[in-house]
Amino acid sequence: MSSCLLRQPLPPVSFLFSLLLATPGVRAAGYETCPVVQPDMLNVHLVAHTHDDVGWLKTVDQYYYGIQNDVQHAGVQYILDSVISALLAEPARRFIYVEMAFFSRWWHQQTNATQEIVRNLVRQGRLEFANGGWVMNDEAATHYGAIVDQMTLGLRFLEDTFGNDGRPRVAWHIDPFGHSREQASLFAQMGFDGFFFGRLDYQDKLVRKKRREMEQVWRASASLKPPTADLFTGVLPNNYDPPERLCWDVLCADQPVVDDPRSPEYNAKELVNYFLQLATAQGQDYRTNHTVMTMGSDFQYENANMWFKNLDKLIQLVNMQQQANGSRVHVLYSTPACYLWELNKANLTWSVKEDDFFPYADGPHMFWTGYFSSRPALKRYERLSYNFLQVCNQLEALAGPAANVGPYGYGDSAPLNEAMAVLQHHDAVTGTSRQHVADDYARQLAAGWEPCEVLLSNALAKLSGSKESFSFCRDLNISICPLSQTSARFQVIVYNPLGRKVDQMVRLPVSEGLFLVKDPRDKTVPSEVVELPSSGNSELLFPALVPALGFSIYSVTRVPVRSPQARSPQPRPQKSGSPVLSIENEHLRATFHPDTGLLRTVEVLDRNLTLPVSQAFFWYNASTGDKHSSQASGAYIFRPRQPEPTPVSHWARTHLVKTALVQEVHQNFSAWCSQVVRLYSGQRHLELEWTVGPIPVGDKWGKEVISRFDTPLETLGFFYTDSNGREILERRWDYRPSWKLNQTEPVAGNYYPVNSRIYITDGKMQLTVLTDRSQGGSSLREGSLELMVHRRLLKDDRRGVGEALLESGSGAWVRGRHLVLLDTAREAAAGHRLLAEKALLAPQVVLAPGRGPPYHREAAPRKQFSGLSRELPPCVHLLTLAGWGRDKLLLRLEHQFALGEDSGRNLSSPVILDMRDLFSTFTITRLQETTLAANQLRASASRLKWTPETGPISHPTVPRLDPASITLQPMEIRTFVASVQWKEDS
């Protein structure tokens, strides 16, 4: 019989409602609704759940509606229908749900009566939400700002829909492929009481079982004072699947419970004995008289009756053994929160973990470190979209209601907010979905940009006082912008989303000719037209100075060649041929080898630092399996055939460009690999703009391409990577802080996620490389560091995708930037922290023809604007400024330096801010502080208290909120909901 015929129809709403009203139970959700346990027995908590990927083998919509079930049988709308029916049939049953991207869609399609039924189930604790984000986000390839945004979106839906009853108490990351320390810190700051996950390195898990350390306190910040970032963390016993032989879903083939002794298929006694042995054995790995079993898996419970009917029987039969045979095992329907509650009441002292759970391997030669770099084009699009969403949110807040409804139509930040949230899913930004799903993720982002462009147009028109035909050039990375390439006169609006003024070199594709550029005060600024050696096209360069949280408008005019106002013709680019090939400005000099054309030395002129640095591209030959293991490299797994990579080329054909504003060395390594090493005037870092692809695979070899930097620094096997773009973690070759590693893959087993930066140091000098997207990186030999920029593979790695990572089309050809900083170890943090912030939230460039009509009759045109009345200090980052309902804004301020990180400029010290009159376009009339995800008032929020082995912890009271004196400690994020009144003249 077809599995779709097994789905139980939803009973009539009137029947369900009357059944619900007749159900006994307390009214307030939370720990008060948890079931009764047996204090002198082993309590087995059965957690009925479904894991619903927000895209993987099918698109989000295909999963929700149950389309293409020949690819994977999955229909989320039917799962939720079926679960609600099954919960109503028996009061003891419980279920948890996680992904708000699916649940919110289902919720909005229900009748008022069904919604009221669900509210009551939530209130009674029978339907519990775990995690509660829009998605279950990845933890390696995600930036902390995007994680906070997607969690806020999901938790706000729950707060608006169910109030405090719907607030998840437990974070639940059962499928992400390794776990970051910053993720745990964020969860703690969001107010979660605990965290459970499924995937753990196979060696780590064996050690933990032996030590009975499957549950402990994770101290997730070296800067925040405990217990601010402390999070009780538990490893689930069976990833997130049911125990063997106990899966009763339509997707499973296990035998149902047959409890009729007269039946020839009777198996109840055997199953009960098996369960008792299983529970007892599992309980040995944990410290309390409580253990948990996950009863569900991917897209299960489409016929929830099958699951619950068998679980009902199992619970009844096992518990009957207590009276019949004196069994000490008690089994019950439970939830992650109720299980956590019992662990907390055990009042034990717990071990403490301070590192992270990367990299993850599920067996020898099976390191999940490939997805750190898979689908680099999608990873970059996600990061660009984060920037654009923050700009959209900020201008919506600064312009007020006029941003949403204005001369350009209806502007809306919500579609891009939701698309960005979907991209954080652990099979989205990771690059581990099928190709058509990756294409659909990109489609969702593109669709989200459009209403934000309308919003930006409305806001810029209001704030500038002029209605222009704004043009958004989405293809600037490939030097395409129709307005700048065809117009003799146009405006360039440069918006800066940072809380400090920035100077930015603007590059725009233009047709041939000379151009005059004027600043907002109508003064001529230096400009140049540079020819791109690779294409022969031309780009206009000029420096822009943009105020904090504001814009500057520059005018560009093509002028006759002989005009005295135009800049003098630039020197012709020279072919390298002289003994010394170098580029330099007032701060830096980079020297290249005259024979190979490769980078040779970096000098910091004003600090008298010199470091030999060789940089080149290499590729690892991807394994397709060998005598040690059949494991191949794939979307998830990185496994090179041999430890030494092959150079793309031993030399580069070079082309030197030198002008007053920029100096560049163009390096061509092969037909599919090139790079521009660039140094702008006044810049303290080298910019390496690389272009890779399409990677050739005609030789039947999959290739994983890296950029490697080799130096003589004595690093002693240590290197450092960021955690989701925030705190820095120390790494070490062939070493794990928590257990003795048996290394089976010397390359892949030393790769770590690099979200924003990686560095090496000898204690005196530090070389830092910043990325423009998430990449895998490592230091595999003394004084070396490498980053994987692209990968193209011919074989699937047998982790479920069933498709080789063989991108074609736009994803096959990738361009990106590495920013290279050389500094003293003492001064380096100030450089990489501020540069990473500036790179992430680079100014947004918008073009317009100019000379548009006034916004309204009295509006005076404004060519420069700042949304702040005063700049923020360098150590303070404006993480969030966004609309939060009628006359309210969401505001997050962050101290972006770690404790003790910067002593030179005192940027690691606490800082005090005055929020009064900080913003120029609105007045804050009321300020309320919340937890990080803005779903609890900070003053009334509380978390379960745990006792770590490091000793007792004080729990300070929340100080009274004084808008005139907001203190930020190192690495602290403070979140506020502000009631505001917009100023009329803004």
Side-chain angles (χ1 to χ4, degrees):
M1 183 183 291
S2 171
S3 58
C4 64
L5 298 178
L6 296 173
R7 183 172 61 85
Q8 300 297 306
L10 196 66
V13 167
S14 57
F15 165 76
L16 298 179
F17 194 55
S18 60
L19 183 62
L20 183 70
L21 294 178
T23 302
V26 293
R27 286 188 56 78
Y31 300 118
E32 303 90 344
T33 64
C34 287
V36 176
V37 298
Q38 299 297 325
D40 56 347
M41 292 186 178
L42 174 62
N43 294 273
V44 183
H45 295 248
L46 302 183
V47 175
H49 79 105
T50 179
H51 174 60
D52 297 345
D53 288 304
V54 186
W56 182 39
L57 308 184
K58 306 198 295 188
T59 68
V60 182
D61 285 75
Q62 288 168 351
Y63 273 135
Y64 180 76
Y65 288 108
I67 298 168
Q68 289 195 4
N69 277 348
D70 56 327
V71 173
Q72 183 183 9
H73 189 96
V76 175
Q77 60 173 335
Y78 307 125
I79 292 171
L80 290 166
D81 288 345
S82 183
V83 164
I84 299 305
S85 297
L87 289 177
L88 292 168
E90 169 53 54
R93 294 174 177 174
R94 290 168 183 258
F95 192 81
I96 67 163
Y97 201 75
V98 177
E99 296 87 3
M100 292 307 106
F102 285 134
F103 186 86
S104 63
R105 183 184 296 204
W106 178 85
W107 174 263
H108 291 305
Q109 294 175 358
Q110 305 309 302
T111 64
N112 291 341
T114 301
Q115 288 181 349
E116 190 57 33
I117 288 168
V118 176
R119 282 195 182 95
N120 277 293
L121 287 171
V122 172
R123 191 176 298 123
Q124 294 173 5
R126 295 158 63 193
L127 175 62
E128 178 180 296
F129 297 105
N131 212 66
W134 203 246
V135 299
M136 184 184 296
N137 65 259
D138 174 59
E139 300 186 36
T142 42
H143 186 270
Y144 74 95
I147 294 173
V148 171
D149 283 350
Q150 82 86 12
M151 288 298 300
T152 301
L153 182 63
L155 292 172
R156 188 182 189 192
F157 164 78
L158 288 174
E159 173 69 20
D160 290 347
T161 308
F162 301 104
N164 193 54
D165 293 338
R167 179 170 63 85
R169 269 64 174 175
V170 168
W172 181 256
H173 268 205
I174 54 177
D175 198 25
F177 330 122
H179 304 280
S180 76
R181 195 176 75 172
E182 189 59 37
Q183 180 75 60
S185 175
L186 297 176
F187 277 152
Q189 295 173 69
M190 289 173 189
F192 285 103
D193 287 324
F195 176 33
F196 293 103
F197 65 76
R199 296 188 184 274
L200 175 70
D201 186 279
Y202 73 104
Q203 293 183 48
D204 193 3
K205 191 169 187 176
L206 288 172
V207 171
R208 288 180 179 279
K209 283 184 171 183
K210 191 177 296 184
R211 294 176 182 168
R212 299 182 83 195
E213 286 189 352
M214 295 287 276
E215 295 161 333
Q216 60 184 172
V217 171
W218 196 350
R219 183 147 294 161
S221 173
S223 293
L224 298 173
K225 187 177 180 181
T228 303
D230 285 4
L231 187 65
F232 184 88
T233 301
V235 182
L236 296 170
N238 199 37
N239 277 10
Y240 59 91
D241 295 322
E244 192 175 343
R245 295 174 55 188
L246 302 180
C247 184
W248 294 303
D249 194 77
V250 293
L251 301 174
C252 301
D254 292 348
Q255 297 300 311
V257 180
V258 182
D259 55 349
D260 181 357
R262 298 168 298 179
S263 171
E265 301 296 337
Y266 174 73
N267 63 1
K269 185 176 180 180
E270 178 192 352
L271 272 178
V272 166
N273 289 336
Y274 169 73
F275 183 87
L276 290 173
Q277 292 171 9
L278 186 74
T280 303
Q282 183 177 299
Q284 299 300 312
D285 300 332
Y286 294 83
R287 293 182 59 205
T288 71
N289 64 322
H290 295 269
T291 191
V292 64
M293 291 184 183
T294 44
M295 308 307 279
S297 193
D298 291 3
F299 298 99
Q300 295 197 0
Y301 285 80
E302 190 170 315
N303 182 349
N305 182 60
M306 278 185 69
W307 254 117
F308 281 117
K309 191 166 188 174
N310 284 281
L311 289 175
D312 289 346
K313 290 181 179 181
L314 180 71
I315 291 170
Q316 182 184 15
L317 291 165
V318 170
N319 290 343
M320 280 170 56
Q321 295 296 307
Q322 297 167 20
Q323 287 114 13
N325 300 315
S327 163
R328 308 305 298 164
V329 175
H330 176 70
V331 61
L332 64 153
Y333 281 116
S334 188
T335 65
C338 293
Y339 174 63
L340 183 75
W341 176 236
E342 297 301 332
L343 299 182
N344 184 259
K345 288 193 294 184
N347 202 26
L348 299 179
T349 298
W350 301 92
S351 62
V352 174
K353 180 179 177 67
E354 295 185 348
D355 58 315
D356 65 1
F357 290 96
F358 286 118
Y360 161 63
D362 56 358
H365 310 287
M366 301 173 182
F367 283 91
W368 296 49
T369 53
Y371 78 95
F372 300 162
S373 311
S374 296
R375 300 195 190 279
L378 184 64
K379 282 178 164 65
R380 178 58 181 159
Y381 194 15
E382 181 274 337
R383 194 63 60 88
L384 282 172
S385 298
Y386 176 79
N387 177 307
F388 197 61
L389 176 60
Q390 303 316 307
V391 170
C392 188
N393 286 338
Q394 290 178 7
L395 284 169
E396 188 172 26
L398 293 171
N404 301 115
V405 181
Y408 303 89
Y410 181 71
D412 191 3
S413 59
L416 184 54
N417 195 15
E418 291 186 12
M420 270 296 295
V422 167
L423 261 289
Q424 306 316 306
H425 167 57
H426 57 267
D427 282 307
V429 70
T430 54
T432 54
S433 70
R434 286 193 173 174
Q435 183 64 55
H436 81 282
V437 181
D439 294 342
D440 188 67
Y441 287 138
R443 179 198 62 80
Q444 291 183 60
L445 288 176
W449 278 59
E450 291 176 7
C452 262
E453 290 178 353
V454 175
L455 188 153
L456 260 65
S457 298
N458 286 334
L460 290 173
K462 175 177 169 57
L463 296 172
S464 69
S466 179
K467 291 189 285 188
E468 300 287 347
S469 297
F470 296 108
S471 177
F472 299 85
C473 296
R474 296 195 192 181
D475 296 323
L476 282 177
N477 66 317
I478 54 173
S479 291
I480 295 176
C481 182
L483 181 59
S484 63
Q485 288 172 297
T486 59
S487 300
R489 179 192 302 269
F490 57 92
Q491 288 184 342
V492 182
I493 303 100
V494 187
Y495 177 82
N496 168 28
L498 296 184
R500 287 169 301 287
K501 66 175 179 289
V502 297
D503 49 2
Q504 175 84 359
M505 192 66 71
V506 176
R507 294 183 74 114
L508 294 170
V510 291
S511 57
E512 291 183 2
L514 301 178
F515 292 84
L516 180 68
V517 180
K518 292 194 173 182
D519 70 9
R521 297 181 180 179
D522 210 33
K523 293 183 178 178
T524 301
V525 297
S527 64
E528 287 164 344
V529 175
V530 177
E531 184 178 302
L532 304 179
S534 58
S535 64
N537 295 332
S538 299
E539 288 191 341
L540 171 69
L541 273 68
F542 67 89
L545 184 63
V546 195
L549 207 67
F551 59 76
S552 293
I553 300 179
Y554 289 79
S555 63
V556 178
T557 308
R558 186 187 289 120
V559 294
V561 175
R562 296 184 180 182
S563 169
Q565 289 180 295
R567 56 121 187 93
S568 57
Q570 66 180 68
R572 291 175 61 86
Q574 306 163 21
K575 297 276 186 180
S576 62
S578 57
V580 178
L581 178 63
S582 67
I583 55 176
E584 67 179 278
N585 64 11
E586 59 269 45
H587 303 299
L588 290 177
R589 178 187 296 128
T591 307
F592 299 77
H593 196 286
D595 297 325
T596 66
L598 302 182
L599 180 65
R600 184 163 69 175
T601 307
V602 177
E603 298 172 76
V604 184
L605 303 175
D606 51 3
R607 294 189 181 173
N608 201 27
L609 297 176
T610 302
L611 183 67
V613 181
S614 173
Q615 183 273 335
F617 292 90
F618 301 80
W619 56 273
Y620 290 105
N621 189 345
S623 176
T624 56
D626 58 22
K627 63 180 181 180
H628 300 292
S629 170
S630 61
Q631 182 62 60
S633 235
Y636 299 93
I637 307 291
F638 171 35
R639 188 176 182 227
R641 192 182 296 265
Q642 62 273 331
E644 279 301 316
T646 302
V648 170
S649 175
H650 292 283
W651 63 281
R653 186 158 44 88
T654 60
H655 186 98
L656 181 67
V657 175
K658 285 193 175 184
T659 75
L661 294 180
V662 68
Q663 297 192 7
E664 300 174 339
V665 172
H666 294 247
Q667 300 171 310
N668 197 310
F669 297 93
S670 74
W672 54 273
C673 181
S674 62
Q675 181 171 259
V676 180
V677 184
R678 183 176 290 129
L679 189 58
Y680 289 117
S681 174
Q683 190 170 271
R684 287 192 167 272
H685 63 273
L686 271 183
E687 177 182 313
L688 277 59
E689 185 180 69
W690 45 267
T691 304
V692 175
I695 299 172
V697 290
D699 53 11
K700 304 301 181 186
W701 287 348
K703 298 177 179 64
E704 322 207 36
V705 183
I706 62 166
S707 173
R708 193 174 79 192
F709 300 78
D710 293 307
T711 77
L713 289 175
E714 295 181 3
T715 53
L716 306 178
F718 290 91
F719 60 104
Y720 302 81
T721 64
D722 68 283
S723 182
N724 301 107
R726 286 202 91 216
E727 297 197 38
I728 305 296
L729 291 178
E730 181 183 87
R731 310 298 191 183
R732 187 172 156 193
W733 302 336
D734 297 340
Y735 176 78
R736 304 290 186 267
S738 306
W739 83 95
K740 187 176 180 180
L741 173 69
N742 175 29
Q743 184 62 276
T744 58
E745 288 288 327
V747 177
N750 283 306
Y751 255 63
Y752 289 87
V754 178
N755 205 273
S756 63
R757 76 210 79 178
I758 181 173
Y759 67 78
I760 52 175
T761 179
D762 63 359
K764 299 173 185 174
M765 204 180 302
Q766 179 171 315
L767 182 72
T768 308
V769 180
L770 283 80
T771 65
D772 65 352
R773 74 203 73 193
S774 290
Q775 296 176 327
S778 189
S779 172
L780 296 175
R781 57 186 183 183
E782 197 76 350
S784 177
L785 66 81
E786 63 185 59
L787 289 156
M788 187 175 291
V789 297
H790 204 356
R791 53 203 309 257
R792 198 172 187 212
L793 309 170
L794 300 174
K795 199 168 179 182
D796 176 55
D797 54 13
R798 302 198 311 271
R799 290 307 182 278
V801 175
E803 191 176 270
L805 187 68
L806 192 61
E807 287 190 277
S808 58
S810 59
W813 186 60
V814 181
R815 176 169 290 161
R817 293 191 309 161
H818 288 148
L819 307 182
V820 180
L821 278 168
L822 178 64
D823 214 330
T824 63
R826 187 171 179 268
E827 301 285 341
H832 72 70
R833 286 285 179 197
L834 297 177
L835 183 57
E837 180 196 32
K838 186 178 176 182
L840 176 73
L841 292 177
Q844 189 69 226
V845 176
V846 182
L847 271 60
R851 299 183 177 178
Y855 184 73
H856 56 76
R857 193 172 299 171
E858 294 81 19
R862 176 160 47 183
K863 291 196 170 184
Q864 197 161 50
F865 161 81
S866 175
L868 295 178
S869 56
R870 54 189 174 276
E871 288 193 0
L872 296 177
C875 58
V876 177
H877 173 53
L878 179 63
L879 179 59
T880 306
L881 177 62
W884 195 252
R886 185 175 176 84
D887 299 331
K888 287 185 178 180
L889 299 176
L890 181 64
L891 177 63
R892 289 191 185 94
L893 293 164
E894 169 192 8
H895 196 309
Q896 61 179 342
F897 280 79
L899 187 66
E901 191 173 52
D902 178 81
S903 53
R905 292 172 57 184
N906 210 30
L907 296 175
S908 288
S909 300
V911 63
I912 298 174
L913 297 175
D914 185 352
M915 296 276 288
R916 298 171 304 175
D917 301 319
L918 178 61
F919 296 92
S920 64
T921 66
F922 57 83
T923 302
I924 297 175
T925 58
R926 187 184 184 208
L927 198 64
Q928 291 180 294
E929 187 166 8
T930 69
T931 52
L932 181 58
N935 65 332
Q936 298 177 78
L937 291 175
R938 186 183 176 196
S940 57
S942 64
R943 297 202 294 144
L944 295 182
K945 296 177 174 61
W946 305 88
T947 305
E949 64 182 8
T950 51
I953 296 172
S954 62
H955 296 263
T957 56
V958 178
R960 186 181 67 86
L961 181 60
D962 179 6
S965 180
I966 302 291
T967 302
L968 287 171
Q969 300 292 337
M971 278 290 135
E972 184 178 19
I973 302 173
R974 295 186 67 175
T975 305
F976 306 92
V977 173
S979 299
V980 301
Q981 187 172 345
W982 280 275
K983 299 174 183 178
E984 289 300 317
D985 60 351
S986 67

